[in-house]
Amino acid sequence: MATVLVSGLFITGPVLRRRYPLAWWLLLGFPATALRVMYTWRALMAGCGLAVSGRPALIVVSGLVGNGALPPQPRVPRRGLVRSTAGEFWLLVWLLPGQVPEDFVKAAPAMAEDWQVHAVRVTSWKPGTVRVAASVSDPLAAPRVPKQRGPGHLLRVAVGVLETGIAWVLDLRRIPHWLIVGATRSGKSTLINALVAGLAPQPVVLVGIDCKGGMELSLYEPRLVRPRDQPGAGGPAAHRTRRPHP
């Protein structure tokens, strides 16, 4: 019965992954990936230069010459349980003496290739421990910004998705000043539009100064307030964009 169930899951896997990616990940993707991580861990650590010999080289050589004993297995960094999140997995790794987090940062591309995932990120968890997180697929290939229900937190707006797959949130109460720069067609206008659209339902005064004569902010003209207007004065008819005089 179990064999039939597993076979059915693998046969319907492509359809399940396309229509219900989260269900596919929990039922098939994560178990297979976790087994791959556990199976390849020792060889991967040795191949990345993160394994340490258990005995000095001279002792190893003399042991081989003297009695033909097999060389000792190298010590590899100890890892914790492989834990799953939505479309990702992560684990903690305890460093061996002499190792630093940067050693694992350099090995991240090799981990991604060996585990057949999109990307691996290594961050310092605490002294002597790193957190290894992997994204199974590219979250920016088809980004989905979480829908904000209701007004949400004041001056806090989800404007996009980060490369980690989590929402990119701008909190103007925590960081009140932002300078948005970038090359042509890099997404500056998209970011500004997302920010204004997210702030529009909130009880805040929005002042728009459009140096392109309304090209950027004309869509939000009914919601914007001219700099000389007072909040609530003149009603909705007074809400206009204003182009500064040269």
Side-chain angles (χ1 to χ4, degrees):
M1 184 64 180
T3 304
V4 175
L5 179 61
V6 172
S7 301
L9 287 175
F10 275 99
I11 293 174
T12 59
V15 178
L16 187 66
R17 183 174 188 176
R18 185 171 60 254
R19 295 187 178 181
Y20 307 99
L22 182 57
W24 170 86
W25 170 244
L26 295 176
L27 291 175
L28 293 175
F30 174 67
T33 303
L35 289 175
R36 188 181 300 118
V37 171
M38 292 185 288
Y39 179 76
T40 62
W41 182 254
R42 177 173 289 276
L44 178 61
M45 292 295 100
C48 293
L50 297 174
V52 178
S53 176
R55 290 189 290 176
L58 289 177
I59 297 178
V60 173
V61 172
S62 64
L64 288 174
V65 174
N67 53 25
L70 294 175
Q73 290 293 322
R75 294 176 58 200
V76 299
R78 184 167 61 91
R79 59 168 178 79
L81 295 176
V82 183
R83 304 177 185 274
S84 173
T85 59
E88 292 190 342
F89 67 88
W90 63 274
L91 63 149
L92 296 180
V93 180
W94 285 265
L95 279 59
L96 294 175
Q99 293 181 340
V100 293
E102 285 73 17
D103 297 334
F104 288 81
V105 173
K106 295 178 182 178
M111 296 181 191
E113 185 70 23
D114 204 60
W115 296 340
Q116 301 177 22
V117 296
H118 170 67
V120 171
R121 301 177 303 279
V122 179
T123 54
S124 181
W125 183 259
K126 62 180 181 179
T129 307
V130 294
R131 184 180 187 269
V132 178
S135 300
V136 179
S137 58
D138 185 1
L140 300 182
R144 297 180 180 179
V145 181
K147 294 183 179 180
Q148 184 171 301
R149 299 179 179 178
H153 298 284
L154 189 65
L155 297 178
R156 191 171 184 266
V157 179
V159 295
V161 178
L162 298 176
E163 61 180 4
T164 58
I166 64 175
W168 178 17
V169 177
L170 298 186
D171 190 343
L172 298 179
R173 299 185 70 178
R174 188 170 62 90
I175 305 178
H177 303 100
W178 288 82
L179 176 64
I180 302 172
V181 297
T184 302
R185 301 186 65 83
S186 62
K188 301 185 299 296
S189 297
T190 302
L191 175 57
I192 293 173
N193 288 333
L195 181 60
V196 175
L199 290 173
Q202 300 184 19
V204 296
V205 174
L206 298 179
V207 178
I209 302 177
D210 195 333
C211 297
K212 294 184 179 181
M215 182 183 299
E216 295 287 349
L217 300 176
S218 59
L219 180 64
Y220 304 100
E221 185 175 353
R223 179 61 176 82
L224 299 178
V225 177
R226 291 178 297 181
R228 65 173 177 268
D229 290 340
Q230 296 296 325
H239 294 179
R240 297 289 185 271
T241 56
R242 179 175 180 268
R243 182 178 181 180
H245 295 290

